[in-house]
Amino acid sequence: MSSALPFLPFALPEIGEDEINEVVDTLRSGWVTTGPKAKRFEQDFAAFLGEPQIECIAVNSATAGLHLALEACGIGPGDEVITTTHTFTATAEVVRYLGADVVLVDIDPATLNIDPKLVEAAITPRTRCIIPVHYAGLAVDMIAILDIARKHGLRVVEDAAHALPTTLERELIGTMGSDATVFSFYANKTMTTGEGGMLVTRNAELAKRARVMRLHGMNRDAFDRFTAKTPSWYYEIVAPGFKYNMTDIAAALGIHQLKRLPGFQKRREQIAQAYNDAFADLPLILPPQAIEGDVHSWHLYVLRLSDELEIERDTFIERMYAMGIGCSVHYIPLHLHPYWRERYGLRPEQFPHSQRAFERVLSIPLYTAMTDADVQRVIAAVRAIAG
Ligand SMILES: *Cc1c(COP(=O)(O)O)cnc(C)c1O
């Protein structure tokens, strides 16, 4: 039907003139690495969250931010960290960086988010931390997770790579009261800095440790030394840190993407609503909605093929590609990947809901750079295959 149309990719960033001008300004300024723009981006992010005093630490990826957050929580060998199998490997790999063990649990089939009951059942004397993932941009039941954590004395680090801006009970994710929340600005996320992330915490001590570990374990960063009035060459190494700082070139993008985020979210909501309306009569399970009054970031629009639909998921995706439309699968669960499967002797039967979801899910294009015609084209393709 649409062989003449150009390929519609699964995801694309939307970069405007303001972002480009700010990057050019940075390039001309003589300060390209972490400096004034990274600082401004951190301040703007805190303001966006509605808490100017909350600590925002800009990093070069969400993976880095998760690593720093867990390190600052003191996670190490002998500890166990509980997370969902239905996620990207970054959520769990950072636990292994620190020599701790990952305990994977299944999802709630209604939300595809981690099931708090299974979290509680997985707690052992070695458990130290829970990493909930707000899958696709729908908030995890943080009230339940924080309750469990309080009851058992556990840390909570939120993987909010999908959850900007997502709310639960009208509170933005990032302000729910966990130990730390980490957002991603990877190219396909709800806003982008190319590569980048933000670690958010109200815990001043955790923030201090993460800032030091972000840059080699130095007690003063380069911008601080460069702009200081006292002799600027002196610093001390207080720990074997990492190289996780965000550059000002990336922050220049972030400053303007953040300003556009409310508009981006509205557009995503609009596209998701168009899909919901167009697919309501098809043998498809539509994505779960946020609770009335709350915000779903709509990072992903995940369709599930119902049992009535005999077509295999892989065939569905092949047919979408044949019509020139990119799709993806979120996720190949961690328990199916060789590393995780072999490291912990995992079997699909341990994760029936994630396994079942994996076999029947596909993510269709949903991004702000899509035109209305692009949206209609996706709708027509899905209807042609599933109708
Ligand atoms: C994208 C993503 C990450 C990693 O983000 P980066 O910024 O690429 O490091 C972590 N967790 C989830 C669930 C993601 O989707």
Side-chain angles (χ1 to χ4, degrees):
M1 60 175 261
S2 47
S3 52
L5 292 169
F7 183 74
L8 182 71
F10 168 69
L12 272 182
E14 185 180 330
I15 309 285
E17 287 307 309
D18 287 348
E19 286 90 324
I20 292 167
N21 292 336
E22 195 74 47
V23 168
V24 170
D25 178 71
T26 306
L27 296 176
R28 293 194 199 285
S29 75
W31 195 272
V32 290
T33 187
T34 311
K37 300 225 169 149
K39 182 141 239 84
R40 187 171 136 205
F41 182 39
E42 290 176 344
Q43 287 164 351
D44 289 356
F45 205 87
F48 179 84
L49 292 176
E51 287 189 38
Q53 340 69 277
I54 206 166
E55 304 263 6
C56 294
I57 301 166
V59 286
N60 58 12
S61 72
T63 308
L66 289 165
H67 186 195
L68 289 177
L70 293 179
E71 199 276 341
C73 284
I75 304 303
D79 296 337
E80 286 177 354
V81 176
I82 300 173
T83 192
T84 169
T85 188
H86 212 82
T87 188
F88 184 56
T89 193
T91 311
E93 72 191 19
V94 292
V95 175
R96 299 294 301 139
Y97 293 179
L98 294 163
D101 281 310
V102 176
V103 175
L104 296 176
V105 301
D106 204 1
I107 50 175
D108 175 342
T111 61
L112 307 184
N113 270 328
I114 193 167
D115 184 338
K117 289 191 297 297
L118 298 177
V119 170
E120 189 150 36
I123 292 171
T124 76
R126 289 172 56 200
T127 308
R128 292 284 310 282
C129 183
I130 307 166
I131 310 180
V133 179
H134 307 284
Y135 175 82
L138 178 72
V140 167
D141 181 354
M142 287 304 297
I143 315 297
I145 296 288
L146 291 170
D147 255 10
I148 293 166
R150 216 167 290 124
K151 203 163 99 191
H152 296 271
L154 307 177
R155 302 287 206 139
V156 177
V157 173
E158 293 171 75
D159 180 339
H162 300 182
L164 186 67
T166 290
T167 68
L168 181 65
E169 299 195 342
R170 292 167 174 77
E171 306 270 5
L172 276 168
I173 294 302
T175 66
M176 296 296 301
S178 62
D179 292 273
T181 304
V182 181
F183 297 95
S184 173
F185 312 127
Y186 181 66
N188 70 1
K189 298 288 163 48
T190 54
M191 61 165 269
T192 187
T193 59
E195 299 278 1
M198 191 71 79
L199 192 174
V200 175
T201 181
R202 288 200 192 102
N203 180 331
E205 218 161 292
L206 193 157
K208 191 173 169 213
R209 176 71 179 181
R211 282 187 201 281
V212 166
M213 295 305 279
R214 173 175 65 169
L215 196 71
H216 303 296
M218 269 184 207
N219 62 355
R220 283 175 87 189
D221 69 29
F223 188 66
D224 182 34
R225 286 186 284 119
F226 188 79
T227 54
K229 296 200 174 55
T230 49
S232 64
W233 57 270
Y234 190 75
Y235 60 84
E236 285 174 328
I237 297 300
V238 296
F242 310 105
K243 188 69 202 293
Y244 283 165
N245 53 304
M246 175 182 277
T247 68
D248 267 21
I249 299 172
L253 285 167
I255 287 165
H256 292 280
Q257 289 272 295
L258 185 64
K259 283 190 191 155
R260 301 173 69 191
L261 191 63
F264 283 167
Q265 198 281 331
K266 260 198 198 114
R267 177 63 180 152
R268 285 180 177 273
E269 184 88 49
Q270 211 175 44
I271 298 170
Q273 198 50 54
Y275 286 159
N276 288 341
D277 293 344
F279 303 149
D281 63 328
L282 297 178
L284 297 169
I285 301 167
L286 300 185
Q289 308 289 307
I291 299 162
E292 182 72 36
D294 272 325
V295 177
H296 189 313
S297 74
W298 290 110
H299 165 53
L300 299 173
Y301 191 92
V302 179
L303 282 173
R304 272 183 285 175
L305 312 186
S306 74
D307 293 341
E308 301 159 59
L309 200 62
E310 273 170 25
I311 187 171
E312 297 284 328
R313 185 272 317 279
D314 294 7
T315 314
F316 201 113
I317 291 180
E318 278 163 28
R319 293 192 55 192
M320 292 290 282
Y321 269 85
M323 287 189 264
I325 296 170
C327 291
S328 193
V329 171
H330 298 92
Y331 286 96
I332 305 166
L334 297 186
H335 66 259
L336 292 180
H337 288 290
Y339 171 74
W340 296 109
R341 187 183 67 220
E342 286 159 24
R343 181 70 183 71
Y344 293 111
L346 304 174
R347 288 165 292 105
E349 308 86 79
Q350 294 171 270
F351 311 95
H353 299 307
S354 170
Q355 182 66 29
R356 179 68 187 148
F358 163 64
E359 287 164 9
R360 301 299 277 172
V361 290
L362 73 149
S363 305
I364 61 174
L366 194 176
Y367 47 96
T368 58
M370 288 174 85
T371 64
D372 288 344
D374 292 334
V375 175
Q376 289 311 315
R377 193 176 151 200
V378 174
I379 287 172
V382 169
R383 291 199 62 85
I385 301 166

